[in-house]
Amino acid sequence: MIRTVFYSATVICSLVPIASATDDLAASAHAILKTHCFECHGDDRLRGGLALNVREDALVGGDSGEAAFVPGDSTTSLILEKIRSADPDERMPAKSEPLSQEEIALLVEWVDAGAPFTNEPGATPQSSDHWAFTPPVKPGLPTGGSNNPIDAFIQGQQKDQGLTPAPEADRYSLVRRAYLELIGKPPSPQAVKKFVRDSGPDAYNRLVDELLASPHYGERQARRWLEAARYADTNGYDKDIHRSIRPDRDWVI
């Protein structure tokens, strides 16, 4: 179906979660460790030679040589054993009140989930499981009746959510949407009649190619970037002196 060719980036990106539950869990666990543990086991001080702010260091352990935690197994993780200890000389953190049951439960869940680290201060990118440091993998196309890859992914999401595609737009709506999206202005009556009367199977593709070749397409797309860059023909300060910036505008277009 061709109606989804011009789905905005926002719509497409909304189909893919930006932050997963794992990211949220890692961030929450990091906050607990930062509040209660990094004072003695962070960059500034490594009591017992143990660093908890870098995943690889925590897995190596401190002077004892025992890992602070075993990813995926909270029952054998040293950090949880120390946190749960009833002996005040053994219990961690040593310099503050014991962790709450809610905080302990979250750390248990975090360790059982593999103890992922976030890319926050105190966690190095090399040790992070943050999505930004995970190499992208090209997914296969969902199975379906569409020849358009974008439609295939959208229909896959709709199917998972029990939704069905809307009926295909009529040709008057299609030509109007294409014009507004690509060049930012509605089609003329003559352009509408030309498209509606074109019965060729590739009529829509030819319409899109024609609009992409139009100078107005460059103007439409460049406008957003130029606004973000605060384009102006004057410097905007003091005496607001004129400056010749149009060559840059024309280059962007």
Side-chain angles (χ1 to χ4, degrees):
M1 292 178 292
I2 56 180
R3 64 179 176 277
T4 51
V5 170
F6 299 116
Y7 261 75
S8 68
T10 302
V11 174
I12 298 300
C13 291
S14 68
L15 300 177
V16 182
I18 297 301
S20 66
T22 301
D23 296 327
D24 294 337
L25 179 61
S28 299
H30 181 275
I32 295 174
L33 296 177
K34 182 178 180 180
T35 300
H36 299 283
C37 306
F38 286 2
E39 181 180 355
C40 295
H41 303 289
D43 288 328
D44 297 332
R45 185 178 180 184
L46 299 181
R47 187 174 181 180
L50 176 62
L52 292 175
N53 60 322
V54 179
R55 193 172 193 271
E56 283 84 350
D57 294 345
L59 291 175
V60 171
D63 296 339
S64 68
E66 184 176 357
F69 49 78
V70 179
D73 187 359
S74 60
T75 60
T76 59
S77 292
L78 179 62
I79 186 174
L80 293 171
E81 177 184 330
K82 294 290 186 181
I83 288 173
R84 289 167 163 164
S85 177
D87 186 344
D89 295 328
E90 291 288 333
R91 190 193 68 233
M92 295 294 167
K95 293 186 176 182
S96 63
E97 294 296 319
L99 269 62
S100 68
Q101 292 301 314
E102 291 77 11
E103 290 173 322
I104 294 175
L106 192 144
L107 290 178
V108 169
E109 182 183 359
W110 172 67
V111 172
D112 285 337
F117 267 44
T118 64
N119 185 37
E120 296 187 26
T124 62
Q126 292 81 4
S127 66
S128 175
D129 290 321
H130 190 272
W131 63 266
F133 300 102
T134 302
V137 178
K138 185 177 182 179
L141 286 177
T143 57
S146 175
N147 294 323
N148 186 297
I150 296 177
D151 280 336
F153 281 106
I154 292 174
Q155 289 174 16
Q157 289 286 320
Q158 290 177 327
K159 183 178 180 181
D160 293 341
Q161 298 177 34
L163 303 175
T164 55
E168 184 169 331
D170 60 80
R171 296 179 71 82
Y172 291 95
S173 298
L174 284 176
V175 64
R176 179 177 173 83
R177 290 176 185 176
Y179 266 78
L180 291 176
E181 180 64 28
L182 290 177
I183 66 174
K185 55 189 294 187
S188 66
Q190 294 78 14
V192 173
K193 290 180 180 178
K194 178 183 176 182
F195 176 71
V196 171
R197 293 173 180 174
D198 189 343
S199 58
D202 61 342
Y204 189 75
N205 290 337
R206 285 188 280 106
L207 171 66
V208 170
D209 289 340
E210 179 182 335
L211 294 174
L212 291 176
S214 167
H216 299 308
Y217 170 74
E219 294 167 354
R220 164 78 165 166
Q221 300 304 317
R223 178 178 59 79
R224 300 183 179 95
W225 188 92
L226 291 168
E227 287 181 350
R230 299 183 179 181
Y231 168 85
D233 288 327
T234 63
N235 58 25
Y237 299 99
D238 193 21
K239 297 180 182 179
D240 208 22
I241 300 172
H242 176 80
R243 61 179 181 175
S244 180
I245 203 71
R246 293 185 181 185
D248 297 286
R249 178 201 63 188
D250 295 342
W251 180 82
V252 172
I253 292 174

